[in-house]
């Protein structure tokens, strides 16, 4: 459930409503990128495939700046029985369904922790993204490692349509 500022007048937004009114209406050949930096948001769009990456160090310590060589590349993928949708849907959540998404201050600016880590990842990897050489799974790994480096106890997830699993290098942007 999403609770907008005007919820007292307009009501809440349920995940079922988002699936019916937004996700299922994306036409074939079109792509919806969604980012929800909110609590309990892993399966908010009710997509078929949910990818998780729980950061695990290769050694005992990590740098204060993300270095991919310091982290193991172990992820899990679960396939749920959900209705098929015609379009391509790619969704990053702020955290797992049983977690909360942190609000934090960075350089005097208030924002969600996942949003900050996502933004930092995109800015750092922009050249690779433009060349289509940075996969969505690599993005998920980096976001979650950055969250861990910043000492946040939440893990972003990546949800996609099943056909996205067939792309080379699993979902390049």
């Amino acid at each position: 459930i999403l609770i907008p500022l005007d919820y007292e007048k307009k009501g809440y937004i349920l995940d079922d409503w988002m699936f019916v009114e937004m996700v299922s209406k994306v036409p074939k050949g079109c792509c919806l990128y969604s980012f929800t930096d909110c609590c309990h948001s892993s399966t908010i769009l009710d997509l078929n495939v949910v990818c998780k990456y729980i950061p695990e160090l290769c050694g005992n310590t990590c740098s204060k700046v993300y270095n991919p060589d310091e982290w193991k590349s172990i992820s899990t993928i679960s396939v749920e029985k959900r209705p098929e949708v015609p379009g391509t849907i790619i969704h990053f959540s702020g955290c797992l369904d049983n977690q909360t998404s942190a609000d934090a201050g960075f350089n005097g600016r208030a924002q969600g922790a996942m949003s900050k880590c996502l933004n930092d990842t995109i800015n750092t990897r922009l050249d690779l993204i433009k060349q289509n050489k940075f996969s969505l799974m690599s993005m998920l790994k980096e976001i979650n490692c950055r969250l861990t480096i910043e000492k946040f106890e939440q893990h972003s997830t990546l949800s996609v349509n099943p056909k996205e699993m067939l792309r080379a290098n699993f979902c390049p942007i």
Side-chain angles (χ1 to χ4, degrees):
I1 188 169
L2 293 178
I3 304 171
L5 288 174
D6 63 350
Y7 77 94
E8 290 176 337
K9 293 179 184 175
K10 305 273 183 166
Y12 304 104
I13 301 171
L14 297 173
D15 62 338
D16 293 341
W17 182 91
M18 288 189 287
F19 182 85
V20 170
E21 298 298 327
M22 183 177 69
V23 172
S24 69
K25 292 185 177 183
V26 176
K28 185 175 183 173
C30 293
C31 184
L32 169 69
Y33 287 90
S34 172
F35 305 89
T36 54
D37 193 355
C38 54
C39 302
H40 317 293
S41 57
S42 182
T43 59
I44 197 166
L45 294 185
D46 294 334
L47 296 174
N48 296 42
V49 179
V50 178
C51 309
K52 298 175 187 171
Y53 175 84
I54 308 301
E56 188 176 332
L57 283 167
C58 292
N60 294 327
T61 61
C62 68
S63 307
K64 298 220 180 246
V65 177
Y66 175 70
N67 176 351
D69 295 332
E70 294 178 345
W71 302 90
K72 294 181 182 179
S73 293
I74 300 170
S75 57
T76 60
I77 299 171
S78 62
V79 179
E80 308 292 328
K81 291 189 177 191
R82 309 260 192 215
E84 292 283 332
V85 296
T88 301
I89 315 297
I90 297 169
H91 172 251
F92 282 93
S93 73
C95 62
L96 301 173
D97 281 341
N98 65 345
Q99 294 180 320
T100 56
S101 285
D103 293 325
F106 297 96
N107 300 323
R109 269 183 77 197
Q111 60 183 242
M114 181 278 227
S115 295
K116 162 75 162 76
C117 293
L118 169 68
N119 193 36
D120 288 349
T121 299
I122 290 171
N123 286 334
T124 302
R125 307 291 177 213
L126 194 54
D127 287 340
L128 291 173
I129 292 168
K130 287 179 179 180
Q131 296 172 43
N132 207 25
K133 293 181 178 178
F134 193 66
S135 72
L136 293 174
M137 287 300 286
S138 295
M139 183 172 286
L140 178 66
K141 175 185 175 184
E142 186 162 338
I143 290 167
N144 282 320
C145 291
R146 287 176 180 274
L147 285 165
T148 299
I149 291 166
E150 295 285 342
K151 308 231 184 299
F152 290 102
E153 295 183 13
Q154 67 189 71
H155 304 293
S156 180
T157 62
L158 167 64
S159 300
V160 296
N161 290 356
K163 63 186 166 193
E164 291 304 302
M165 298 289 292
L166 303 176
R167 279 185 161 183
N169 197 21
F170 186 59
C171 302
I173 293 180

